[in-house]
Every structure is written in C-alpha cells, then in structure tokens.
Amino acid sequence: MTALREILLRRIAATGPMSVADYMTECLLHPVHGYYTTRDPLGAGGDFTTAPEISQMFGELIGLSLAQAWLDQGAPSAFVLAEPGPGRGTLMADILRATAHVPGLHDAARLHLVEASPALRAAQARVLPHATWHDRLDQLPEELPLFLIANEFFDALPIRQFIRDGNGWRERVVGRDEDELVFGLTSPLPLADLEHRLDDTQDGDMVEVSPALPALIGEIGGRIAASGGAALIVDYGGRGGTGDSFQAVRNHRKVDPLTEPGEADLTAHVDFETLARASVPAACAGPVPQGVFLERLGITERARALASRLDGAALDRHVAAHRRLTHPEEMGDLFKVAALHPCNAPPPPGTEP
C-alpha cells in the first residue's frame, strides 16, 4: 500500500467519498506524495513520452508558428513567452533554437514558465537558466502581449464525471471497500451546469467536466484579447462527446487509476468545445489534428532535410518519430491543436480554418 493510498482511505473513512477531481488533485499534487511533486515522469526511464521528447521537429515548428504570429501582430518590442507544464524544458529549448534568427524576437521575449513540480523545475533550469518560474497561470506578468504554448498541460486538470439518470445526474466518486479504493455513484440530482447536455445524451451516458478549464482559458483569452499575443494548445481530446477518458499511465502502460495513487500519471481528454467557449473575448481557431497542423507547417520537408544527414539506426528512429507525430494511427489524429488569438489578428500558422 502506498503512503498516499493510506492517507486517502483515512480521509474517505472520515469525510466520505471524494470526487474524481479531488482524487486527481491529491494523486498529482499532494505536497509530499503527489506524482508531480516527487519525480521526473518523462522519457524512456519514466512513465510517458511527449511530442517534444520524440523529435526536435515538433518544437521547431511550434516556434516558427509563434514567431509568425508575433510578426503578424507588428513584432511587439516586449512580450511574455510562456509555457505551463514545460516538462524538462525540451519544447521551449527547441522553440528558442528555431527562432534564434528571427530579428528582434529573442530581445523582445521575456521567458516565463508555470511549473508546480520541484523536480521538473530543476530539470528546466538546466536548459532554460534565464527563465522566471510561477506556480499558477494567473501569476504571469500582465499588460505585455502573451505568446503561450501549452503541450499536454490541460489533460492533467482534474475532472468530475457524471452519469445521466433520467433528467438528473449521478456523480462518479472514489470511495472505499475495506482497504480498497473503489468507484461509486451518488444519488441522482438535477444539475444546472449540465442542463445543456440533456439534448445530446441519453440514460447511462457519462459526461466529463473540468471545473478549472474555463477559468484558465478565460484568463489566457482575456489577456490575449486585451494586450495581444497568441496561445497554441496541443492536447488529446475532442469536442464535447461522452464516455470515460480518465486514465492512469505508469511505465508507458495503462494501469488501474485506483491501484497505486501517487505512483501513476492521471489524465483525461480535453473538451475543446468548452475551451473554445471559454476563450471569449479572444478568438479560437481549431482544433485541427496534430498531424494536419504539422504538415501545414512543413514537417515532411524538415524531416527529409534532417534525414539526409542520417543513416542506419539513427535514420530508422527519425522516420519512426515523424510517423509517430503525424500518422492518424499514432498521435496525428488523437492530438489536436487549437489557437487563441486577438479577433483583429490572423491565427497562428497551421491552425487556419
């Protein structure tokens, strides 16, 4: 039994079952035993691998898209370049390398990272020593234009899960059965926030809600609408829909999310429909599939240029990385890219309608 599991069992015994959102928060961010508090989860020796770790091409093209958005808005002489959840700093390092020859961009950029994990902050500092760190998005500097990249950040936001029961909803909760954590359901209740989902669901359908998503996107969209900038949001998910997307990953494999709390990464699909609604007064372009986004930006041409310098096993890895990022059966369709931008400015390249 993990230390966190024992803590959660005692809490449930004292106060009753907890929402899936509360469970995710404890598992990921508990100050002593939380998943992100205690480890670097990335890479072959970790639990999962993100697109920037697969190939430098991903970050390079993200960087060029943001650079063009900066140019399209008149190349402001000072702006915040921000990334929430920057992992090891690989994506931002690739962005900065790819944009090094864009005149004036690096002089104008003020690098800010939003990271709650002490272990990951240390890793980021090794490759991005001049960054400024924050615990929350709302701590980013105001008034300057905001150019932001969020890759696999919003999928870690805690979710609540509801199952339709007539014209009401039962919430899925985490309870206990002796020494085991188990899922259960509350009694059915009418919920005003889910009334709009009665039109596109039927009895037994599960709907997921991320309580923090609208406020975070509203914060980003409000700043971009007021001061300029753009945000590229890359994550897996879709528009609305139903079903259980809550999952745990450990050692690159899916595991039971209740078995070893604090020892596995917990995520859920991002609802891009909610994201788009919350972006107002900024405009929202997309989402477009990741593969389409990268192809529009020229990833195949870039892959060919890099391949010309490779052979043997290195070439095989490079070809596999290109396929993994773009192919519909890999990350190409599952992951989506949405962009927030001012209504009077074009969307970042790659996210055009």
Side-chain angles (χ1 to χ4, degrees), residues 36-184:
Y36 288 128
T37 309
T38 58
R39 74 201 68 213
D40 175 353
L42 295 162
D47 294 313
F48 58 90
T49 301
T50 61
E53 307 288 335
I54 293 169
S55 171
Q56 69 186 65
M57 297 184 291
F58 181 80
E60 290 172 347
L61 296 175
I62 290 280
L64 294 178
S65 179
L66 286 176
Q68 186 59 55
W70 176 72
L71 291 169
D72 288 341
Q73 295 182 41
S77 59
F79 70 92
V80 174
L81 177 60
E83 183 181 3
R88 293 175 176 167
T90 304
L91 173 56
M92 186 57 72
D94 288 340
I95 288 171
L96 293 173
R97 187 184 65 257
T99 58
H101 299 296
V102 179
L105 188 144
H106 281 203
D107 290 337
R110 311 289 186 264
L111 181 58
H112 291 262
L113 305 176
V114 180
E115 180 57 70
S117 165
L120 289 175
R121 278 196 186 193
Q124 293 152 19
R126 289 193 285 271
V127 295
L128 302 167
H130 303 298
T132 299
W133 280 265
H134 306 278
D135 293 321
R136 304 188 312 274
L137 271 169
D138 61 8
Q139 294 173 334
L140 292 172
E142 298 185 36
E143 298 180 357
L144 290 178
L146 172 64
F147 288 81
L148 177 143
I149 171 63
N151 179 61
E152 291 198 55
F153 172 74
F154 290 103
D155 64 4
L157 293 182
I159 60 160
R160 297 176 69 182
Q161 296 182 310
F162 299 92
I163 295 176
R164 182 171 171 180
D165 187 328
N167 288 325
W169 301 88
R170 294 177 182 265
E171 183 166 9
R172 193 187 198 196
V173 293
V174 178
R176 63 174 293 170
D177 181 5
E178 297 184 353
D179 289 334
E180 299 293 331
L181 292 167
V182 295
F183 286 119

Side-chain angles (χ1 to χ4, degrees), residues 325-349:
L325 290 174
T326 61
H327 197 280
E329 294 180 2
E330 301 271 355
M331 299 174 75
D333 271 358
L334 176 62
F335 281 76
K336 309 293 193 300
V337 184
L340 276 55
H341 61 97
C343 293
N344 60 356

Side-chain angles (χ1 to χ4, degrees), residues 52 62 76 178 194 245 274 307-308 312 340:
I62 290 280
E178 297 184 353
L194 288 178
S245 72
T274 297
S308 66
L340 276 55

